[in-house]
Amino acid sequence: MNAQRILGVALDSDQDVVLVRQRARQISALLGFSQQDQVRIGTAVSEVARGASRPGMGGRAVFQLREQDGRQHLEILVSAAGRAGITAGEPDAESLRELAIVTAHRLMDACEVDPGAAGATTVTVRKALPRHEHVTVARMAEIGARLADSPVSNPLHELQLQNQELLATLAELRERQDDLLSLTRELEDTNRGIVALYAEIEDKAERLRRADEMKSRFLSNTSHELRTPLSSIRALSQLLLQRLDGELTEEQERQVRFIDTAANELSDLVNDLLDLAKIEAGRVSVQTDPVVVDNLFRALKGMMRPLVDESRVELVFEPSGIEQPFLSDEGKISQILRNFISNALKFTEQGSVLVFAAHDPEADTIAFAVADTGIGIEHDDLQLIFEEFGQVEHPLQRRAKGTGLGLPLCRKLADLLGGRVDVSSTPGVGSTFTLTLPRTPPVKRDAAAPDGTAP
Ligand code: ADP
């Protein structure tokens, strides 16, 4: 850091303050500062100098060029007399000086105050030269000569100059104000556009909501209409198969069995569709009661046993060790796990289906998992299987009946219980479906009136 002195000015009277301001403007003009910066520097220096100028107190202002952080700066050091000298008979001097320093801070790049010995203060203000300016030694000599040549004018002239500066600043302010006004107008237009767009989106969302509602209503109505004739078909085919209406030939029995199977499949589809439609319409309520994991497992074991072909696959329920009951809807958990288990049994030719549960104390959740050693699912299909009617092409798929609605239903039910469904799978190795539930149910959502009827 080295400094090259440009000029020194004694500060003995108010006249000197005017002089220092003129010099500041001249020097900053010679150093290539813009008109605006010249005004800033002149104002900052004269404000600081005002506090330092006292007759016979040896105040000084020194202008110098300083190299700092790879850039040249105009630096002005204003040294004031001792504190006692300043404040004598002028109680406001201290606050005036502070005000001057605040102003200098605003107008310059840096403003440092060095209290010095015996209360004598030096205020240093600094401003970097414009980037394109570089003052050489020769230029410094030239500036020195120009300053010696240019006389300092009288206070009246200085006042005129200040007025001109003020007028120029006012004109610039007006220009900025005009710019701001047109910017505000532009912003208003943009805002209006955004508001219009929002209205359009709202309108589309409303139409979508209505279409969705109509779809749910249509599904639920048709499903209801289909259930009654389907029940009759199933009951009648059972009557025929039980020979209550007389003997059947072999061919007749084959055909009635075919009708019975088809009616059962259709009935599954209708039930799943009805469940989905009811959830979507917000007409499914959650009945929370204490659930004991191992009791739930015992009930599931009984229900799923008829589906297990023990010569190929074993269905194992691992004791959970979770004794503490948790609050949830047991019926819905059972529905989700039944779907996981029946899928696992359908898509596992050999090996095992393992059902287990674990408590995560940190998240306070219970995770139920159904892990199989079946055909597995390709990574790219993991999304598809949760879509309505999403099924993966596979020879086993053709044999195993299904609606493709089970998993989307599970996901919706889990959502209703405040939980989630996840899957991890390796093709040829097996899949694990997990239902994670909070141990305490979330605050009830604003569900529509539950109809309470069984699907
Ligand atoms: P569904 O079983 O009635 O076809 P789901 O929605 O329950 O309908 O399942 C969708 C599809 O996801 C199944 O058809 C099958 O392709 C795949 N899937 C589900 N569970 C398994 C599993 N455990 N192993 C392999 N594939 C599975």
Side-chain angles (χ1 to χ4, degrees), residues 315-375:
L315 173 62
V316 182
F317 284 84
E318 222 172 57
S320 70
I322 306 171
E323 279 159 24
Q324 190 89 15
F326 72 102
L327 273 186
S328 194
D329 187 324
E330 183 160 346
K332 292 190 175 57
I333 304 176
S334 171
Q335 194 177 348
I336 297 169
L337 294 181
R338 278 200 312 269
N339 192 65
F340 286 176
I341 298 169
S342 74
N343 277 347
L345 292 170
K346 269 196 290 188
F347 298 107
T348 305
E349 283 197 292
Q350 203 72 47
S352 63
V353 172
L354 184 64
V355 187
F356 56 97
H359 174 218
D360 177 351
E362 211 166 288
D364 204 22
T365 52
I366 293 199
F368 294 92
V370 177
D372 63 47
T373 57
I375 57 172

Side-chain angles (χ1 to χ4, degrees), residues 339 343-344 346-347 372 375-377 385 390-392 397 401-408 431 433:
N339 192 65
N343 277 347
K346 269 196 290 188
F347 298 107
D372 63 47
I375 57 172
I377 304 156
I385 58 171
Q391 293 181 317
V392 183
Q397 183 80 59
K401 301 285 181 294
T403 59
L405 291 173
L407 288 176
S431 316
F433 283 81

Side-chain angles (χ1 to χ4, degrees), residues 116-128:
T121 328
T122 301
V123 180
T124 309
V125 293
R126 205 174 297 121
K127 197 169 194 72

